Amino acid sequence: MLLGRLLVPAAAALAVAAGAVAATGTAAQELRIGYSADVPTLDPGNHRNRFAEGVILNIHDALVARTDDMAVVDELIEGWTQIDALTYEARLRRGVRFHSGDEMTAEDVKFTFDRLTKEGFMGGQTSPRKSLLGPLADTEIVDPHTVRFHLSAPWPILRAYLPFQQIVSKRFVEATGTEGMATHTNGTGPFRLVEWRRGEAIILERFDDYYGGAPDLPPVGPAGVERVIFRIIPESASRVAALLAGEVDIIDNLPVTDIPVVEANPATRVMTTNGTRSFFVDLNNAVPPFNDVRVRQAANMAIDRDLIVERVLGGLAVPLNGLISPQSYGYNADLPPWSYDPDRVRALLGEAGFPDGVDVTLDVDPANRENAEAVAAMLTQNGIRTTVQVWELNVMDATWREENAAGRNMRYRSWGDGALDPVGIFDPVLRTGGRGNFSRYSNAEVDALLAAAESETDVARRSRMYQDAQAIVREEAPLLFLWLPRDIYGVSARLSGWRPSPRGVIKIHDARVD
Amino acid sequence: MSPIKLLERLIQLGFVLFGISLIVFLMMEATPGDPVEIMLGDSLASAEQKELLRRDMGLDRPLVARYLHFVGNALGGEFGQSFFHRRPVADLILERLPATIELTLVAMVVAVAVAIPLGIIAAVHRGGLLDRLASVGAMLGVSMPGFWFGILLIMLFAVRLHLLPVAGRIGYSHEVPAVTGLLLVDSLIALQPASFLAALGHLVLPAVTLGLAMAAILMRVTRTAMLEVLSQDYMTFAEAKGLSRRRILVRHGLKNALIPTVTVAAIETGSLLGGNMIVETIFAWPGLGRLVVEAIFARNYPVVQACVLFYAVTYVLLNFVADVLYTVLNPKVRL
């Protein structure tokens, strides 16, 4: 009796609430994205975060854009000229408006790049994106629609790095302040910010006065949908459920294990693209046994990459014979893959003085433990007896920064490079003393090639230099090369016109929903 | 409770809080590596920023001085800067707190609304079918992990039946003017019944998931207390007076049986905060629990530190309230 008196009204209330919620369907022309993380900020000049970039790119445009095959095309500019080795000139597109209605001029472009490159320009703080602009020293206004970029050293890839820098309005930033820029936006992009419900959602609406975007990236014109909602759903099982329930149209980071469910549902499907993050194992070149090139080569031949990709990664990764993505500029396609060869491994280990095999450790952080264990199991099977040690990331980092990496043997790791240019991955990881060089690899020839490539202005010659460096590295095997995972998305059947970007961001301009 | 006893408890409380602050402070100290690098976590900072932070943290000063500085700041609600968000930590916590409070309160209401009637029924029908069902249910409720049960509810009610939303706090077409930050309250203040229902609908699954374990525990406590009460002489006496059974149960039974239930509920509310981290992550609930989880993944130590302090203090205070409540409700008990 008592139970009934208490529970019946409660149940009735819930049923009403449930009905009300279920009845609220998706409004027409509204695209919802199940996004796996909230963004730390919406300030285009104050982050180094891929999730932030993914949202910001839909609100702001840049001087140039990248096509899906990584060609660079004009976006907010109409012409690009090299004046000399240290000077480039950009002619701005006319009649481009910010969301506030202000017209974009050379003032805004200069301000944007000053904000990114000048020390302490953001209220005493220097932009964390400064290093993405290399030796860019100054930006000069030639006339209201022309700017010149002055470099302190030759840097031929300036244009290739401009898609990562979105143009902001000088007037708006000065009025809003650095702190305000974290939550307020005024871009030239296809969508304007309506509301950022922190931790919950970012709501955008179509900017009807949009100039149309890059002419070489059709369709040109206003965006295909009226409203976009980035819904923050960190748990992947919930993100998949939201897709299956029809609450969202695109989800990122679809787990390999959920692919069959999404494919089995008639209202949803899976889309993939090559990612930009290479996985590898640092081999400590400074201490035995990996100071011996034969042991390093043996390690590279002791792994059946195809098998691990097939069994552990669900077939959704590309085996690598080197550090960089096959999609990358300067990729050397002529180098043979590292094939799985247990006999050769035994022979090489014998030559190196380890006829009975060798005992080593593989360091890894908790997130990558499973894949590292798969690698360790195969190494062990072939005489490189590997013990996996799981570390807290901070402590592992600190240890590998010590002299000779404190004598550690191997570390499971990855390096992402959205620009798909060797300068962003090959250079830091393999150059002597590079900021990501934890294998302590050092080769004068490679260093010379990388230094020359840095200032080589001829695109083909520069590519050749990187390819030569890759050939040397292929032989010297400073790292145990692994694979490049594909980015996996789940999408609804009502979505059209959208393709996953190899840059790992979700651009919505072309998307439509029925 | 006599004023002296209360004072004694307050002094004890002071010691506990001191211990907590010490542990939270040392947590940072004991982490290997450069504290500045740790504070910055995965965010990129310039050399000047690092220098500035090093100065702000007073790393050149002795440990005790740094601890006092930390406590002084914490008392003033100053927890430093989250470099990941480039905003003050206190702002981040305040922004997320209302969602967590709302979810916790509703979960508590769900737990109490389920547990007390079930506990009474189980006690009254001791050994019967209902009692056994309730016992099995309680066992399941305690032992089912929240992340599994939550996903199960989502798959059934959102994906299969389309009755409730998968995740989130309210639909995106609803604009509720913020007054208290609690959407249920704010939507009523703004006279938006549709928003109220939407918020309620979004609350059902997370609140049930979160409240389940608490409901199970409360049910057991209520049952045991009720059984004890039922065997008391005054109950027999009331029956002998010829009072109706319902009147006996509610006026004489429940009133006394609720004393342990209320105190356990107060203590359990503290553990709801811990459960929040899981439930908020599953249901994409924009509360404090998720902020902590995200901060841990991003190695955002200032946020983790502040949140751990907040949780610990809340838990201790709730325990204190439970103690006081117990003596207030039951004058026979002295602390």
Side-chain angles (χ1 to χ4, degrees):
Chain A
M1 277 301 278
L2 195 63
L3 179 73
R5 266 176 53 192
L6 281 169
L7 285 190
V8 168
L14 289 190
V16 172
V21 173
T24 328
T26 310
Q29 293 293 297
E30 181 174 289
L31 176 71
R32 295 173 178 190
I33 297 154
Y35 211 42
S36 51
D38 197 3
V39 305
T41 174
L42 288 174
D43 184 347
N46 206 359
H47 73 91
R48 285 291 285 270
N49 178 284
R50 191 165 60 83
F51 292 101
E53 187 180 17
V55 175
I56 288 169
L57 274 178
N58 291 294
I59 301 173
H60 298 265
D61 275 359
L63 295 184
V64 290
R66 290 244 178 154
T67 64
D68 278 357
D69 47 14
M70 293 289 146
V72 180
V73 296
D74 292 350
E75 196 164 75
L76 290 174
I77 61 172
E78 291 176 329
W80 178 263
T81 331
Q82 180 168 9
I83 308 290
D84 57 49
L86 297 174
T87 317
Y88 293 86
E89 189 174 277
R91 262 200 336 281
L92 304 180
R93 178 189 292 276
R94 283 156 199 264
V96 172
R97 297 206 174 270
F98 285 102
H99 301 155
S100 60
D102 293 343
E103 192 180 339
M104 179 195 74
T105 66
E107 290 261 358
D108 299 308
V109 175
K110 175 181 168 51
F111 180 82
T112 297
F113 286 94
D114 284 351
R115 191 167 185 260
L116 293 167
T117 56
K118 305 279 184 201
E119 296 282 340
F121 197 88
M122 302 194 307
Q125 187 206 328
T126 306
S127 170
R129 302 184 76 72
K130 181 174 163 54
S131 65
L132 291 170
L133 284 166
L136 177 61
D138 200 20
T139 314
E140 177 200 350
I141 299 172
V142 179
D143 64 51
H145 295 284
T146 313
V147 290
R148 275 192 186 178
F149 296 106
H150 296 283
L151 307 177
S152 58
W155 201 54
I157 52 171
L158 171 65
R159 191 157 181 265
Y161 268 74
L162 289 181
F164 301 102
Q165 312 303 348
Q166 294 81 28
I167 302 303
V168 293
S169 153
K170 180 177 189 229
R171 203 162 74 99
F172 180 75
V173 176
E174 284 176 346
T176 311
T178 305
E179 211 160 296
M181 284 296 289
T183 49
H184 296 81
T185 70
N186 181 25
T188 57
F191 294 94
R192 63 198 301 166
L193 177 69
V194 177
E195 191 187 0
W196 176 13
R197 297 184 184 176
R198 275 190 280 292
E200 195 181 358
I202 298 156
I203 304 170
L204 311 179
E205 69 181 11
R206 179 161 66 196
F207 175 46
D208 289 325
D209 289 335
Y210 185 53
Y211 67 94
D216 293 330
L217 279 175
V220 175
V225 292
E226 284 164 8
R227 228 163 108 92
V228 176
I229 298 171
F230 282 87
R231 283 186 60 179
I232 318 302
I233 311 179
E235 166 57 38
S236 41
S238 313
R239 215 159 50 245
V240 173
L243 178 71
L244 296 176
E247 286 185 24
V248 295
D249 299 296
I250 302 174
I251 59 170
D252 65 350
N253 290 327
L254 176 67
V256 172
T257 43
D258 283 318
I259 288 176
V261 191
V262 174
E263 275 175 344
N265 187 323
T268 57
R269 64 204 157 94
V270 175
M271 290 180 96
T272 65
T273 182
N274 269 354
T276 53
R277 184 164 283 276
S278 300
F279 281 77
F280 55 92
V281 172
D282 283 319
L283 304 173
N284 189 344
N285 286 224
V287 298
F290 294 115
N291 58 350
D292 188 321
V293 63
R294 290 166 296 193
V295 184
R296 299 200 299 265
Q297 289 172 340
N300 269 290
M301 282 184 256
I303 302 285
D304 189 344
R305 293 171 182 75
D306 293 324
L307 185 72
I308 297 181
V309 166
E310 200 50 50
R311 294 285 164 79
V312 183
L313 304 173
L316 288 159
V318 187
L320 291 179
N321 65 345
L323 188 57
I324 64 179
S325 158
Q327 249 82 47
S328 175
Y329 164 81
Y331 175 74
N332 189 334
D334 300 331
L335 299 175
W338 283 105
S339 40
Y340 180 57
D341 192 346
D343 294 336
R344 190 87 189 95
V345 172
R346 248 192 313 281
L348 280 168
L349 285 179
E351 282 173 35
F354 302 107
D356 303 321
V358 57
D359 292 290
V360 288
T361 51
L362 171 58
D363 299 336
V364 66
D365 62 300
N368 288 305
R369 181 194 183 138
E370 277 177 40
N371 293 352
E373 275 170 352
V375 170
M378 295 201 98
L379 288 171
T380 302
Q381 220 169 42
N382 292 300
I384 303 173
R385 290 181 295 273
T386 306
T387 314
V388 174
Q389 183 168 344
V390 182
W391 297 68
E392 199 278 320
L393 196 60
N394 243 328
V395 185
M396 181 167 74
D397 261 357
T399 308
W400 276 78
R401 277 179 208 286
E402 284 175 30
E403 174 95 30
N404 286 341
R408 306 296 308 170
N409 299 132
M410 298 191 273
R411 171 160 82 147
Y412 188 92
R413 204 152 69 95
S414 68
W415 191 277
D417 173 40
L420 290 179
D421 187 294
V423 76
I425 173 168
F426 199 92
D427 204 293
V429 175
L430 290 168
R431 196 173 189 163
T432 304
R435 73 193 151 94
N437 185 344
F438 289 97
S439 64
R440 272 68 180 173
Y441 177 63
S442 176
N443 179 303
E445 227 178 315
V446 170
D447 289 348
L449 282 166
L450 292 178
E454 209 170 36
S455 52
E456 176 56 63
T457 49
D458 183 282
V459 176
R461 264 214 302 274
R462 180 167 171 270
S463 172
R464 193 67 242 162
M465 288 167 178
Y466 282 122
Q467 293 185 35
D468 290 348
Q470 282 163 64
I472 298 169
V473 164
R474 167 68 175 72
E475 276 319 295
E476 297 223 308
L479 310 172
L480 166 48
F481 304 109
L482 297 174
W483 46 72
L484 182 84
R486 288 178 74 79
D487 288 344
I488 313 170
Y489 298 85
V491 300
S492 74
R494 70 186 201 112
L495 177 78
S496 62
W498 182 82
R499 263 173 311 163
S501 152
R503 268 177 68 184
V505 292
I506 299 177
K507 277 198 104 167
I508 315 152
H509 177 260
D510 304 348
R512 289 175 180 281
V513 284
D514 305 326
Chain B
M1 194 190 293
S2 68
I4 294 174
K5 287 283 177 193
L6 186 67
L7 192 70
E8 228 178 84
R9 286 307 311 261
L10 280 172
I11 292 170
Q12 279 179 17
L13 187 70
F15 275 108
V16 173
L17 292 176
F18 166 72
I20 291 170
S21 68
L22 202 60
I23 290 169
V24 170
F25 172 72
L26 290 176
M27 177 178 95
M28 208 63 188
E29 289 291 322
T31 314
D34 179 359
V36 170
E37 298 279 350
I38 293 168
M39 283 286 273
L40 291 170
D42 281 343
S43 65
L44 284 139
S46 62
E48 307 93 87
Q49 277 174 294
K50 285 183 187 170
E51 226 14 78
L52 201 69
L53 182 58
R54 209 177 293 277
R55 229 185 7 252
D56 280 357
M57 288 170 76
L59 288 171
D60 45 339
R61 287 182 294 165
L63 195 68
V64 177
R66 263 180 290 158
Y67 170 69
L68 292 177
H69 183 67
F70 166 73
V71 171
N73 277 347
L75 286 175
E78 170 61 52
F79 296 100
Q81 189 85 8
S82 162
F83 290 86
F84 181 72
H85 302 88
R86 300 189 185 273
R87 292 174 59 212
V89 173
D91 285 8
L92 292 168
I93 292 180
L94 285 179
E95 196 171 272
R96 297 295 192 97
L97 205 51
T100 290
I101 291 176
E102 184 164 46
L103 176 57
T104 307
L105 287 178
V106 175
M108 206 171 73
V109 169
V110 169
V112 169
V114 171
I116 293 178
L118 280 182
I120 294 168
I121 290 168
V124 172
H125 301 276
R126 182 185 189 177
L129 183 66
L130 280 173
D131 184 22
R132 279 186 215 158
L133 278 178
S135 295
V136 171
M139 183 91 84
L140 279 176
V142 170
S143 47
M144 258 195 301
F147 62 88
W148 181 74
F149 184 60
I151 296 285
L152 215 65
L153 289 181
I154 290 177
M155 291 317 279
L156 180 62
F157 290 100
V159 177
R160 200 155 281 255
L161 301 176
H162 285 282
L163 280 175
L164 292 165
V166 170
R169 213 179 155 199
I170 194 169
Y172 302 103
S173 48
H174 296 275
E175 299 271 349
V176 182
V179 182
T180 61
L182 309 181
L183 288 180
L184 288 182
V185 178
D186 288 353
S187 57
L188 288 180
I189 292 176
L191 298 174
Q192 298 178 344
S195 301
F196 177 82
L197 288 177
L200 190 63
H202 281 82
L203 264 164
V204 174
L205 296 184
V208 167
T209 310
L210 186 60
L212 181 77
M214 183 174 172
I217 293 166
L218 285 187
M219 197 287 264
R220 300 295 298 172
V221 172
T222 309
R223 177 183 177 273
T224 310
M226 196 68 189
L227 280 177
E228 206 190 308
V229 168
L230 285 176
S231 67
Q232 296 293 323
D233 291 344
Y234 60 78
M235 293 298 281
T236 322
F237 180 69
E239 213 164 334
K241 276 203 302 190
L243 296 176
S244 79
R245 186 150 174 81
R246 179 192 278 177
R247 195 177 158 83
I248 296 171
L249 279 180
V250 176
R251 286 290 295 273
H252 299 269
L254 189 58
K255 207 173 143 191
N256 288 303
L258 275 186
I259 295 169
T261 309
V262 169
T263 45
V264 171
I267 296 171
E268 281 297 311
T269 306
S271 41
L272 284 188
L273 286 175
N276 264 334
M277 295 186 200
I278 293 163
V279 172
E280 287 183 4
T281 301
I282 295 172
F283 291 97
W285 194 261
L288 199 58
R290 245 187 64 210
L291 182 70
V292 177
V293 173
E294 286 161 8
I296 290 170
F297 279 122
R299 300 193 288 152
N300 191 342
Y301 284 83
V303 172
V304 177
Q305 199 179 34
C307 290
V308 169
L309 193 65
F310 174 81
Y311 279 134
V313 169
T314 311
Y315 197 85
V316 170
L317 288 180
L318 280 172
N319 265 284
F320 176 71
V321 169
D323 285 353
V324 175
L325 214 56
Y326 197 69
T327 57
V328 170
L329 288 174
N330 189 352
K332 277 193 294 184
V333 176
R334 298 258 176 275
L335 279 178

